[in-house]
Amino acid sequence: MRMIVPALFCFLLPLLRVKGQNYFYDSRYYEPNTLIKAGMGWGAMLALTDLGGHHGKNRPLLWDANIECPRLCALFFAEMDFQKGWSLRWQYAVGAVSGADSLAGSGDDYARLRNWRNLHFMSKIRETALLLKWAPVVFSRSNGTGGTGQLYVELGIGLFHFAPSAYAGDHLIALAPLHTEGRYLSDGNKFTPYPLTQANLPMGL
């Protein structure tokens, strides 16, 4: 895998021309100072928790991802592009996440312990976000008309809503009102109930 990615990049590079700005112009046409566009896309959502995960002992970040866990999501956006590669984008994403101890396998003591615990959850996700993007490098066709891709970084602020639930027999039960993990029980240490709508910091590369 370490050799495939550089090899593909070197193969594609002669077919593309790199320029320092993402606006096209020639003697007959130039793009306006501001471009407005809208679109939609799809992807995947993944929750990295102690439920499920990779077989055996939990590992950090994406190394613990289990191929059965990602769920499809849809994305809708409106974007305003400025000169010098800057863009401002509003987006709305809808999808779901899930996890289950039954996905841990049965290969070692950690996996058997998680199977014995036998927890699972699922939750729909709704997110809206505003992001600022900068694309210092843009790839264009050999004749300079139109862009075929770009290298960019982006950072923003968002708000998402989730509602974790789990099955009890054939019934789907909301988990937050049950004070799972002992949250906000009157006979124990009091914790503030976790809000189902929270802020986040989306970022991309």
Side-chain angles (χ1 to χ4, degrees), residues 46 48-66 114:
L46 172 67
L48 294 174
T49 74
D50 64 330
L51 274 71
H54 198 271
H55 293 183
K57 187 177 181 180
N58 293 98
R59 297 188 288 180
L61 300 177
L62 290 177
W63 294 111
D64 199 44
N66 192 306
R114 280 149 65 178

Side-chain angles (χ1 to χ4, degrees), residues 89 131 133-134 136 150-155 202-205:
R89 184 175 80 252
L131 296 102
K133 181 178 74 173
W134 179 50
Q150 58 184 210
L151 299 179
Y152 69 90
V153 292
E154 63 181 1
L155 179 66
M203 58 186 69
L205 174 65

Side-chain angles (χ1 to χ4, degrees), residues 146-191:
T148 60
Q150 58 184 210
L151 299 179
Y152 69 90
V153 292
E154 63 181 1
L155 179 66
I157 185 168
L159 200 66
F160 72 96
H161 178 79
F162 69 109
S165 58
Y167 277 101
D170 296 330
H171 301 284
L172 194 60
I173 306 297
L175 296 179
L178 299 180
H179 309 299
T180 50
E181 298 187 357
R183 286 186 170 272
Y184 210 64
L185 294 177
S186 59
D187 57 347
N189 294 325
K190 290 189 176 182
F191 296 90

Side-chain angles (χ1 to χ4, degrees), residues 11 37 73 107 175 203:
F11 173 74
K37 55 190 178 184
C73 67
L175 296 179
M203 58 186 69

Side-chain angles (χ1 to χ4, degrees), residues 6-177:
L8 286 175
F9 181 77
C10 293
F11 173 74
L12 293 173
L13 193 59
L15 305 179
L16 304 172
R17 184 168 66 94
V18 179
K19 58 182 180 179
Q21 48 82 31
N22 66 340
Y23 277 65
F24 168 72
Y25 65 91
D26 59 17
S27 59
R28 296 177 299 172
Y29 172 82
Y30 68 92
E31 291 180 343
N33 293 333
T34 303
L35 294 177
I36 298 177
K37 55 190 178 184
M40 61 181 297
W42 61 274
M45 286 186 175
L46 172 67
L48 294 174
T49 74
D50 64 330
L51 274 71
H54 198 271
H55 293 183
K57 187 177 181 180
N58 293 98
R59 297 188 288 180
L61 300 177
L62 290 177
W63 294 111
D64 199 44
N66 192 306
I67 194 171
E68 291 96 336
C69 288
R71 307 280 293 273
L72 285 177
C73 67
L75 176 72
F76 307 90
F77 72 89
E79 184 173 299
M80 182 176 295
D81 295 344
F82 308 97
Q83 289 190 2
K84 301 187 183 301
W86 291 95
S87 301
L88 186 65
R89 184 175 80 252
W90 169 83
Q91 67 182 32
Y92 176 75
V94 55
V97 294
S98 64
D101 283 333
S102 60
L103 299 176
S106 57
D108 56 23
D109 291 339
Y110 295 99
R112 286 189 288 272
L113 179 61
R114 280 149 65 178
N115 273 277
W116 175 80
R117 185 176 64 170
N118 195 31
L119 295 179
H120 73 278
F121 85 99
M122 59 192 70
S123 177
K124 294 180 179 179
I125 301 290
R126 304 289 185 271
E127 182 203 49
T128 183
L130 188 66
L131 296 102
L132 184 65
K133 181 178 74 173
W134 179 50
V137 177
V138 177
F139 300 97
S140 66
R141 298 183 178 90
S142 58
N143 61 2
T145 59
T148 60
Q150 58 184 210
L151 299 179
Y152 69 90
V153 292
E154 63 181 1
L155 179 66
I157 185 168
L159 200 66
F160 72 96
H161 178 79
F162 69 109
S165 58
Y167 277 101
D170 296 330
H171 301 284
L172 194 60
I173 306 297
L175 296 179

